[in-house]
């Protein structure tokens, strides 16, 4: 068998949708699993949908996700150009369309927009237009005369009206349609550009694509593509159509959900490996129930025969969990580099941000969670004295006041404000008074943070806050307990 070659063929229309990222990923994995090649082709023939800067986003996203292409506009592998508008300019599509015209598999159509409009009918509330092959019957001379007169034209596929066409999809199985349902679709538009429908077949063939991986919205058009392959006498590729991705309400994942693109997710504080890992599981499951995979592991494990045809639900809770797992496993330096802007957005004082980062690393799911964990370092929030009461620690306002009042002079006298030294100092008090550690730590931590939950214990917090600020907060606590306790 020839070398497996797959392609990712995005249209530059904006940010990279999660569905497109999954298509790119599966195409990449199928190629790499077989030691094959992964190509990038830019499908920019629909000038109206073209968005400035979208090509750069495609390159950037592939780079960020590690889906490195072997061939593409920036890496010539001998099948270029890899940008459809450049291919169009070189006349490839017209040349191939003309080949079909010669074979009687396609024909010139000069029908006016008005005539085409008159062919529209409404079926089940939906307006459809089935072309009636009007121009198929023009003689060669008539066609030439019209072309010479410069009358606008399109080139249409000449599909049979009887019989049926069957094609095999690896995920959806054999699909058969009556040829009467195959419209004579346009191959070359009046502006000279090919339609996606035509260009994808010509390009996939010329680029040696063995496996076509794409969203299932193309499933219903695939019989027409098959007929094109047959008309040219080309080998039909393996089709792998990916299931739909929906939001939790089972609607197609759309921009409205606010997290439909890779860039959206990165901006929301997710990390690319976690997103790629999560996206891999939207429509594929490995043999065991494992969920965390590096890209290399996915290459090894991925098997498109284990893809599902039912829709995959984008579950934010699951993605957040997965992202948290990646945060925990991440090297500290990289974590810090990514967390720093989020830390700096909250902490303006000269505190040790690295220490704060290490406190939150295992506690957050996405970077923006950082804020809720650390804001007390910057400013002590207003808090209620009731917070000093903790059943399990056996503390209340009175016991807390005593502990804080006893320890204030101890801490004032303490020179070394490192975590270890502070812990030793407090342990001495615990031992001397015969109480439980929590009985002492709870009030101190409350006075330091004004919070029930903190990302670290009392002594670690003091180490970060420093002596002056820690003592001030403890004095405030004493004051509050004296006033209201
Ligand atoms: N340009 C098409 C799109 O972005 C690609 C479809 C395909 O992969 O064949 O939807």
């Amino acid at each position: 068998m020839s070398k497996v070659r797959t392609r990712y063929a995005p249209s530059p229309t904006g940010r990279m949708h999660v569905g497109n990222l999954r298509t790119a990923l599966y195409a990449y994995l199928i190629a790499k699993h077989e030691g094959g090649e992964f190509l990038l082709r830019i499908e920019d023939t629909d000038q109206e949908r073209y968005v400035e800067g979208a090509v750069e986003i495609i390159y950037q996203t592939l780079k960020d996700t590690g889906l490195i292409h072997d061939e593409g506009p920036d890496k010539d592998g001998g099948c270029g150009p890899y940008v459809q508008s450049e291919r169009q300019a070189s006349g490839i599509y017209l040349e191939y369309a003309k080949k079909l015209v010669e074979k009687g598999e396609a024909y010139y159509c000069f029908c006016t927009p008005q005539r085409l409009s008159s062919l529209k009918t409404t079926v089940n509330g939906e307006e459809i237009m089935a072309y009636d092959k009007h121009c198929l019957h023009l003689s060669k001379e008539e066609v030439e005369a019209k072309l010479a007169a410069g009358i606008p034209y399109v080139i249409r596929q000449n599909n049979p009206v009887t019989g049926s066409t069957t094609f095999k999809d690896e995920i959806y199985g054999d699909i058969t349609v009556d040829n009467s349902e195959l419209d004579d679709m346009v191959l070359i538009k009046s502006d000279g550009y090919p339609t996606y429908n035509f260009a994808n077949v010509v390009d996939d063939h010329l680029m040696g694509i063995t496996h076509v991986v794409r969203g299932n919205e193309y499933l219903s058009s695939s019989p027409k593509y098959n007929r094109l392959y047959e008309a040219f006498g080309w080998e039909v590729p393996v089709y792998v159509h990916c299931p739909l991705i929906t939001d939790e309400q089972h609607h197609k994942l759309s921009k409205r959900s606010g997290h439909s693109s890779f860039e959206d997710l990165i901006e929301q504080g997710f990390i690319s490996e976690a997103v790629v890992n999560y996206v891999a599981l939207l429509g594929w499951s490995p043999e065991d129930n494992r969920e965390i995979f590096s890209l290399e592991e996915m290459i090894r494990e991925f098997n498109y025969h284990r893809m599902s045809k039912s829709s995959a639900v984008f579950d934010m809770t699951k993605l957040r969990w997965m992202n948290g797992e990646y945060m925990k496993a991440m090297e500290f330096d990289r974590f810090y580099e990514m967390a720093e802007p989020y830390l700096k957005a909250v902490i303006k004082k000269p505190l040790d941000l690295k220490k704060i980062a290490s406190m939150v690393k295992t506690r957050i799911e996405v970077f923006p969670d950082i804020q809720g964990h650390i804001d007390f370092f910057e400013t002590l929030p207003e808090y209620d004295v009731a917070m000093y009461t903790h059943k399990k620690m056996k503390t209340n306002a009175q016991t807390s006041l005593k502990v804080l009042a006893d320890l204030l002079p101890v801490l004032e006298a303490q020179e070394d404000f490192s975590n270890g030294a502070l812990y030793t100092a407090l342990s001495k008090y615990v031992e001397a008074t015969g109480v439980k550690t929590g009985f002492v730590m709870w009030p101190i931590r409350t006075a330091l943070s004004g919070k029930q939950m903190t990302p670290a214990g009392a002594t670690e917090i003091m180490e970060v806050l420093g002596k002056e600020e820690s003592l001030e907060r403890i004095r405030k606590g004493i004051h509050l307990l004296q006033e209201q306790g």
Side-chain angles (χ1 to χ4, degrees):
M1 210 184 126
S2 56
K3 200 168 203 184
V4 168
R5 280 168 69 86
T6 63
R7 81 323 190 249
Y8 174 50
S11 304
T13 55
R15 294 186 153 196
M16 198 189 283
H17 190 272
V18 166
N20 287 342
L21 174 58
R22 185 194 52 183
T23 299
L25 175 62
Y26 286 3
Y28 175 83
L29 295 175
I30 289 172
K32 297 296 149 187
H33 184 75
E34 299 292 338
E37 281 144 6
F38 172 62
L39 282 71
L40 172 65
R41 180 172 75 227
I42 303 294
E43 301 206 326
D44 60 348
T45 56
D46 192 344
Q47 298 289 306
E48 279 165 30
R49 290 176 61 220
Y50 184 83
V51 172
E52 204 57 46
V55 174
E56 286 67 34
I57 296 181
I58 293 167
Y59 282 122
Q60 191 59 44
T61 310
L62 291 178
K63 196 166 158 236
D64 291 347
T65 51
L67 306 181
I68 307 302
H69 50 281
D70 301 293
E71 290 177 31
D74 54 343
K75 274 187 206 163
D76 191 8
C79 294
Y82 294 85
V83 179
Q84 284 188 331
S85 57
E86 291 171 26
R87 296 174 74 75
Q88 193 269 344
S90 73
I92 292 180
Y93 303 116
L94 191 58
E95 177 193 327
Y96 278 91
K98 282 182 179 167
K99 284 187 189 182
L100 290 182
V101 173
E102 274 161 37
K103 289 174 175 232
E105 297 281 357
Y107 56 93
Y108 287 91
C109 169
F110 300 92
C111 287
T112 59
Q114 291 77 2
R115 174 159 201 283
L116 295 176
S117 217
S118 72
L119 296 175
K120 283 184 185 155
T121 48
T122 305
V123 177
N124 297 333
E126 218 186 302
E127 202 170 63
I128 56 160
M129 204 282 287
Y131 187 64
D132 59 358
K133 290 186 184 281
H134 179 77
C135 289
L136 177 62
H137 310 293
L138 294 174
S139 69
K140 215 172 172 199
E141 293 70 36
E142 284 172 305
V143 168
E144 264 156 30
K146 284 180 191 288
L147 290 177
I151 298 176
Y153 68 90
V154 299
I155 298 182
R156 288 182 184 276
Q157 185 178 15
N158 181 18
N159 277 321
V161 282
T162 56
S164 62
T165 298
T166 299
F167 80 99
K168 180 172 185 238
D169 180 78
E170 293 299 320
I171 313 305
Y172 292 84
D174 282 343
I175 296 185
T176 301
V177 291
D178 284 340
N179 287 340
S180 59
E181 286 174 29
L182 303 178
D183 186 33
D184 281 357
M185 67 175 180
V186 172
L187 306 179
I188 301 287
K189 295 182 274 187
S190 56
D191 60 5
Y193 273 86
T195 54
Y196 160 76
N197 295 325
F198 186 53
N200 94 87
V201 170
V202 172
D203 289 346
D204 283 344
H205 172 75
L206 295 179
M207 294 182 176
I209 300 303
T210 56
H211 294 61
V212 169
V213 185
R214 64 182 158 219
N216 71 357
E217 65 269 31
Y218 293 100
L219 200 56
S220 61
S221 312
S222 293
K224 295 182 207 172
Y225 307 152
N226 247 35
R227 287 216 34 81
L228 286 172
Y229 281 103
E230 282 163 15
F232 279 119
W234 293 340
E235 195 181 331
V236 177
V238 174
Y239 290 114
V240 180
H241 284 97
C242 309
L244 187 72
I245 302 177
T246 73
D247 60 19
E248 281 155 64
Q249 285 72 46
H250 301 282
H251 297 134
K252 192 175 172 191
L253 195 63
S254 73
K255 272 193 188 157
R256 255 174 302 133
S257 73
H259 52 256
S260 64
S261 76
F262 177 76
E263 291 80 5
D264 291 343
L265 293 168
I266 297 302
E267 281 168 10
Q268 287 164 23
F270 289 92
I271 53 178
S272 66
E273 292 96 318
V275 173
V276 171
N277 188 157
Y278 180 68
V279 163
L281 300 175
L282 290 172
W284 169 72
S285 53
E287 273 174 47
D288 46 17
N289 282 332
R290 208 167 126 204
E291 295 189 294
I292 306 287
F293 289 90
S294 67
L295 196 54
E296 287 69 36
E297 289 165 333
M298 276 183 233
I299 291 174
R300 236 176 294 134
E301 304 290 324
F302 192 80
N303 175 351
Y304 62 79
H305 294 112
R306 291 193 56 83
M307 276 169 64
S308 156
K309 54 179 161 221
S310 30
S311 308
V313 179
F314 191 99
D315 176 352
M316 203 39 152
T317 311
K318 177 104 184 253
L319 172 59
R320 285 182 62 98
W321 165 78
M322 193 172 275
N323 204 68
E325 294 302 300
Y326 272 85
M327 297 257 190
K328 284 182 199 143
M330 201 186 242
E331 291 225 342
F332 180 75
D333 287 350
R334 179 165 173 232
F335 175 81
Y336 181 72
E337 199 185 308
M338 296 176 88
E340 201 178 19
Y342 295 89
L343 294 162
K344 285 193 168 158
V346 181
I347 310 278
K348 307 290 177 200
K349 290 180 181 162
L351 303 184
D352 186 337
L353 294 185
K354 285 205 170 160
K355 278 207 179 109
I356 299 180
S358 66
M359 290 176 183
V360 294
K361 186 169 179 282
T362 56
R363 294 169 191 265
I364 58 168
E365 290 184 324
V366 288
F367 288 111
D369 291 351
I370 286 180
Q371 179 176 0
H373 285 287
I374 68 163
D375 44 13
F376 73 89
F377 279 113
E378 181 66 14
T379 351
L380 178 70
E382 296 266 327
Y383 64 96
D384 200 291
V385 274
M387 233 181 237
Y388 284 99
T389 304
H390 193 288
K391 225 170 165 190
K392 218 173 124 220
M393 306 290 177
K394 298 198 167 51
T395 63
N396 57 39
Q398 276 163 335
T399 66
S400 296
L401 179 57
K402 173 151 174 39
V403 167
L404 294 184
D406 282 353
L407 284 172
L408 183 63
V410 174
L411 293 170
E412 278 168 344
Q414 177 74 19
E415 282 190 6
D416 183 352
F417 244 64
S418 67
N419 176 30
L422 287 164
Y423 198 84
T424 310
L426 296 186
S427 298
K428 277 189 194 145
Y429 177 80
V430 168
E431 273 165 39
T433 52
V435 293
K436 288 239 159 75
T437 307
F439 184 84
V440 174
M441 297 299 183
W442 182 266
I444 299 181
R445 200 171 59 99
T446 304
L448 294 169
S449 68
K451 291 192 129 187
Q452 299 250 278
M453 305 254 274
T454 54
T459 53
E460 290 163 280
I461 294 173
M462 278 195 276
E463 180 182 65
V464 169
L465 287 176
K467 187 167 178 179
E468 202 184 316
E469 177 72 18
S470 299
L471 293 178
E472 198 183 313
R473 291 186 182 197
I474 290 173
R475 285 188 201 109
K476 248 191 201 162
I478 292 173
H479 186 71
L480 187 75
L481 286 161
Q482 282 168 339
E483 298 263 295
Q484 297 172 32

